[in-house]
Amino acid sequence: PFKLLVMGQLNAVGTETDSITFTAADTANGWQSIRFTNTPATSDTSRFMYCRIEYGRADGAGQDNHGGAFCFENFSKAVVSNCLITRCRAENGGGIYCDNSHPRIIGNTLTGNVAVNVGGGICLGPGSIPVIRNNTIGWNTAIGNGGGGIFCLSDVMISNNTIIYNTSHIYGGGGIMANGCSPEIIANTIS
């Protein structure tokens, strides 16, 4: 599948009544997602606002199997706001994957995403301290080791989100699973 590898700045800014869609013509095989890997730290901030990202399938080799819609590795200058992230799939981070990255993830809906291992909605690897606020994270699945909604390996703040109807098949954390870290979970609805 094709992927969108960002090596600079990408601004996809729609409006509430006219959103931007990232999708695949072949929804069974999907596409490889929007990837910030080896993106120069000198790049300006990328913005994704009022976008619909669907049918991302991160199923490549190595790190290419992380982040069904977005993969952030060693890059923090990104804002994902008021987007719908749906029907995406990856080994880790069915919707969004962060590794040593700190993007701003605010006001989005992540729904119907699947992680074969961890983080059906969002997977936060070591050293990742993004802003995760005012999102609806629901109906996502972690088939393997946990975190149907969110899986984290970092001391992140997760605030004012609605985290509902997520599932984890083997281990725990249908809503949130934290492993070896102490996230601050403040004013969320988890059910």
Side-chain angles (χ1 to χ4, degrees):
F2 295 100
K3 61 185 169 186
L4 185 54
L5 182 59
V6 181
M7 298 308 291
Q9 179 188 40
L10 175 59
N11 286 319
V13 179
T15 66
E16 191 170 358
T17 58
D18 188 15
S19 62
I20 298 169
T21 300
F22 294 85
T23 191
D26 178 357
T27 58
N29 290 317
W31 60 293
Q32 191 87 30
S33 74
I34 301 167
R35 312 190 67 75
F36 290 84
T37 56
N38 300 314
T39 305
T42 56
S43 298
D44 288 333
T45 300
S46 290
R47 290 175 179 79
F48 299 87
M49 298 175 177
Y50 294 103
C51 295
R52 179 184 180 103
I53 300 100
E54 60 186 9
Y55 300 110
R57 300 281 187 272
D59 58 5
Q63 296 295 83
D64 275 351
N65 66 8
H66 298 334
F70 289 100
C71 180
F72 298 100
E73 292 178 339
N74 302 306
F75 188 77
S76 299
K77 293 179 176 178
V79 176
V80 180
S81 176
N82 297 301
C83 293
L84 172 62
I85 298 169
T86 186
R87 298 183 180 128
C88 296
R89 183 181 182 99
E91 180 75 19
N92 298 308
I96 298 173
Y97 176 82
C98 298
D99 182 14
N100 196 35
S101 300
H102 322 300
R104 297 175 58 82
I105 303 167
I106 302 170
N108 303 286
T109 299
L110 290 92
T111 185
N113 301 294
V114 176
V116 175
N117 190 21
V118 295
I122 300 172
C123 180
L124 305 174
S128 292
I129 308 174
V131 173
I132 300 177
R133 185 175 65 231
N134 297 333
N135 300 285
T136 298
I137 303 168
W139 295 275
N140 301 289
T141 302
I143 296 171
N145 291 317
I150 300 172
F151 178 85
C152 52
L153 293 170
S154 59
D155 297 336
V156 66
M157 180 185 291
I158 300 167
S159 64
N160 299 96
N161 300 282
T162 301
I163 302 169
I164 55 174
Y165 301 112
N166 298 286
T167 58
S168 174
H169 286 221
I170 296 178
Y171 291 108
I176 299 173
M177 182 175 187
N179 187 356
C181 61
S182 300
E184 292 184 60
I185 302 171
I186 299 170
N188 297 280
T189 298
I190 304 172
S191 78

